Amino acid sequence: MRFTNIIVLCLLSIAVKVAKSEGKGKGKSKSGADKHEEIASHLEAWESWLKSSSMSMSVPTPKPQKKPAKPVVPTASPTPCFGTPTDLLKILSQVSTRASLLAPNTPQHKAYVWLSNDRVYCYNDPKIIQRYIMALTYFSTGGEGWTNCGQNATTSACDTNKCKQTGRFRWLSTSSECLWCGANCNVTNQCITAIDLDSINQTGVIPYELQNLTILETLAFQRGTIKGTIPATLGNLKELKDLDLNFNNITGTIPDSIYSDTSLQQLDLNDNDLVGTISSKIGNLPNLFFVQLGNDSPSGKNNFIGSIPSEVGTLTKMVVFTANDNKFFGPLPNLSKLTSLEFLDVSNNDLTRRIRNTNWASMPNLQYADFSGNKFSGSIPDSFGSNKKLEYAAFDHNDFTGIMPLQICALRLGNLKNLSSDCSSPPTPPQVACVFPTCCTACFN
């Protein structure tokens, strides 16, 4: 209706102008002029009515209809900074497989969904990868069930005294991942240098994507129920100094790649379910000072076999070496060069032969030495008598013979509080002659 009125109005306006024009033309009689004026007057009346009518008869303009967007999981509104979930998927596919990112309930998918709703880093910031890997670590090790500083405050307390590194905030909080409990970053560029979690009910598996934290120095998941194998990709962490996975349920062998982490100082794998041998390539780790491969609790199931490589005797910085309760066999390598050694435990294996090939006097800081439960033979070396700091020495349940050296007995007047050997009778005489209790504090047969 409105458009029809406008057209008629335009035509009437033209007609009015023409009528007025003709009324003023040359050669027109007065009566003709009057007639034209009358027509113009009628036309103007119609024009006025149509104008008022056109204002009241409006037709609503239809609104444009938007096409429904295709469903995207997870959903997020794209912005110049963050982009779309598809953009994020492309970025994360650089470190995790696309299939794992899209498969429901995988740790990778959970981390992807969480990060798509996170707004700490723009997608073009390289730190987005770091934040993803930290979130992935959380989900991979059962973060939803952590007993300390998990995301959910209703199910997880956050005792900052249990946070071993500088981080003190809950995981997956809006704070920087450098500040999450047990995490630490360097000052220069805020890159993760440590992940250190202990006794917070860690489960699940260790994600292989940790290899992308290229300057990681400490990786510690202690006293949990983590299973699966040690990712071979950890061998790509050239700055790694401390690998501490003790008291878990980790299976498989020590990956050969670990022996290429030349910065490694601590290899703490005791009380797991590991098998296999210790590679001679351990000699490629000159900075090692702390190695634990044994079992100290009833739940420990490590079952290493083979010999203790002679290359262990070249690790001159060694302070602690334990390989107890395994199936190691053969002779103990010459350890004379381990002049910093303080703690040695090779008990309960199948080790044989003499231990006199080592100059035990070369270890002035030796405090603990446990050789019990093997098949060592020969006499007990008197060179132990030079270890003035020695507090514990166990030689029992072996094939040692002879007399406990007087030099060792003399240490009982100092720091040596526990000294055991096969000094019980029968048989008569005992395998090892040692006066109880003034010299030996425990005798076995």
Side-chain angles (χ1 to χ4, degrees):
M1 289 291 291
R2 182 178 181 184
F3 296 114
T4 304
N5 291 344
I6 291 172
I7 293 171
V8 173
L9 181 61
C10 291
L11 294 174
L12 287 174
S13 297
I14 295 171
V16 170
K17 292 179 182 178
V18 170
K20 287 182 178 181
S21 175
E22 289 181 353
K24 296 177 182 178
K26 292 182 180 180
K28 299 291 181 180
S29 62
K30 184 178 180 182
S31 59
D34 292 339
K35 188 174 182 179
H36 282 290
E37 289 292 334
E38 184 179 355
I39 292 171
S41 176
H42 285 294
L43 290 173
E44 287 176 343
W46 273 98
E47 180 181 23
S48 175
W49 180 85
L50 284 171
K51 284 181 178 179
S52 62
S53 176
S54 64
M55 296 299 293
S56 61
M57 297 182 181
S58 61
V59 178
T61 303
K63 295 182 179 179
Q65 297 295 316
K66 292 183 178 180
K67 292 183 179 180
K70 293 181 179 179
V72 177
V73 180
T75 58
S77 301
T79 68
C81 177
F82 295 104
T84 67
T86 301
D87 295 330
L88 182 58
L89 180 63
K90 291 179 180 178
I91 295 169
L92 301 186
S93 294
Q94 300 173 47
V95 295
S96 295
T97 65
R98 183 182 178 89
S100 65
L101 288 164
L102 294 177
N105 299 321
T106 63
Q108 289 83 0
H109 180 73
K110 291 179 180 179
Y112 166 43
V113 172
W114 174 80
L115 193 59
S116 69
N117 295 308
D118 188 51
R119 289 295 182 265
V120 172
Y121 296 123
C122 292
Y123 289 177
N124 61 357
D125 191 326
K127 289 292 190 300
I128 196 76
I129 295 292
Q130 174 172 283
R131 195 164 176 86
Y132 163 72
I133 293 171
M134 291 294 281
L136 172 59
T137 300
Y138 176 83
F139 289 113
S140 289
T141 58
E144 299 99 322
W146 285 0
T147 57
N148 195 61
C149 291
Q151 182 185 27
N152 192 339
T154 62
T155 59
S156 178
C158 197
D159 182 357
T160 57
N161 292 322
K162 295 181 179 180
C163 301
K164 291 194 169 185
Q165 300 291 328
T166 57
R168 292 292 183 271
F169 289 88
R170 290 184 178 276
W171 281 64
L172 304 192
S173 63
T174 55
S175 62
S176 166
E177 64 278 5
C178 295
L179 300 178
W180 294 350
C181 178
N184 192 46
C185 285
N186 63 356
V187 176
T188 307
N189 51 16
Q190 291 297 288
C191 289
I192 294 288
T193 58
I195 301 174
D196 194 345
L197 304 174
D198 189 348
S199 305
I200 61 170
N201 194 37
Q202 314 95 293
T203 61
V205 298
I206 301 169
Y208 71 87
E209 290 92 340
L210 285 167
Q211 67 173 323
N212 293 281
L213 301 180
T214 55
I215 63 169
L216 189 67
E217 297 178 0
T218 297
L219 180 61
F221 300 115
Q222 301 181 71
R223 283 171 277 272
T225 55
I226 290 176
K227 55 187 179 181
T229 60
I230 300 172
T233 54
L234 297 186
N236 296 326
L237 297 172
K238 301 307 178 186
E239 302 299 321
L240 190 64
K241 294 180 173 63
D242 182 5
L243 181 60
D244 194 348
L245 307 175
N246 62 7
F247 297 101
N248 280 288
N249 298 324
I250 299 171
T251 58
T253 62
I254 299 175
D256 209 46
S257 59
I258 294 297
Y259 300 111
S260 65
D261 288 337
T262 55
S263 296
L264 200 61
Q265 298 177 0
Q266 299 188 54
L267 182 62
D268 196 354
L269 305 176
N270 64 283
D271 292 87
N272 277 285
D273 198 3
L274 294 165
V275 295
T277 61
I278 308 304
S279 173
S280 61
K281 294 179 182 177
I282 195 171
N284 297 335
L285 306 176
N287 296 305
L288 270 183
F289 72 86
F290 190 100
V291 176
Q292 290 200 138
L293 306 173
N295 296 296
D296 295 329
S297 72
S299 61
K301 297 179 181 178
N302 281 350
N303 195 26
F304 290 109
I305 61 173
S307 62
I308 297 176
S310 60
E311 286 78 7
V312 170
T314 68
L315 303 175
T316 57
K317 295 182 180 180
M318 191 69 70
V319 175
V320 173
F321 183 85
T322 71
N324 55 293
D325 295 270
N326 280 284
K327 293 292 191 317
F328 289 113
F329 56 78
L332 188 69
N334 188 332
L335 305 179
S336 300
K337 293 182 179 180
L338 308 190
T339 56
S340 298
L341 193 64
E342 297 179 8
F343 194 104
L344 175 67
D345 189 353
V346 292
S347 61
N348 300 316
N349 282 284
D350 293 316
L351 297 171
T352 59
R353 303 187 190 179
R354 299 171 180 265
I355 61 173
R356 297 187 70 88
N357 59 338
T358 294
N359 178 16
W360 301 101
S362 67
M363 306 169 187
N365 296 313
L366 187 65
Q367 300 172 30
Y368 187 104
D370 194 345
F371 303 94
S372 64
N374 283 286
K375 298 175 183 178
F376 290 122
S377 58
S379 59
I380 297 171
D382 57 12
S383 58
F384 278 103
S386 299
N387 302 126
K388 304 302 182 183
K389 294 183 180 180
L390 192 63
E391 299 175 6
Y392 183 101
F395 301 99
D396 57 276
H397 293 92
N398 277 289
D399 295 330
F400 289 121
T401 58
I403 300 173
M404 181 66 69
L406 294 178
Q407 296 91 330
I408 297 178
C409 291
L411 297 178
R412 291 280 287 112
L413 300 175
N415 293 312
L416 185 58
K417 304 303 179 185
N418 295 279
L419 176 61
S420 62
S421 69
D422 296 317
C423 51
S424 288
S425 294
T428 303
Q431 279 184 227
V432 176
C434 185
V435 178
F436 174 85
T438 55
C439 184
C440 283
T441 60
C443 287
F444 301 90
N445 55 22

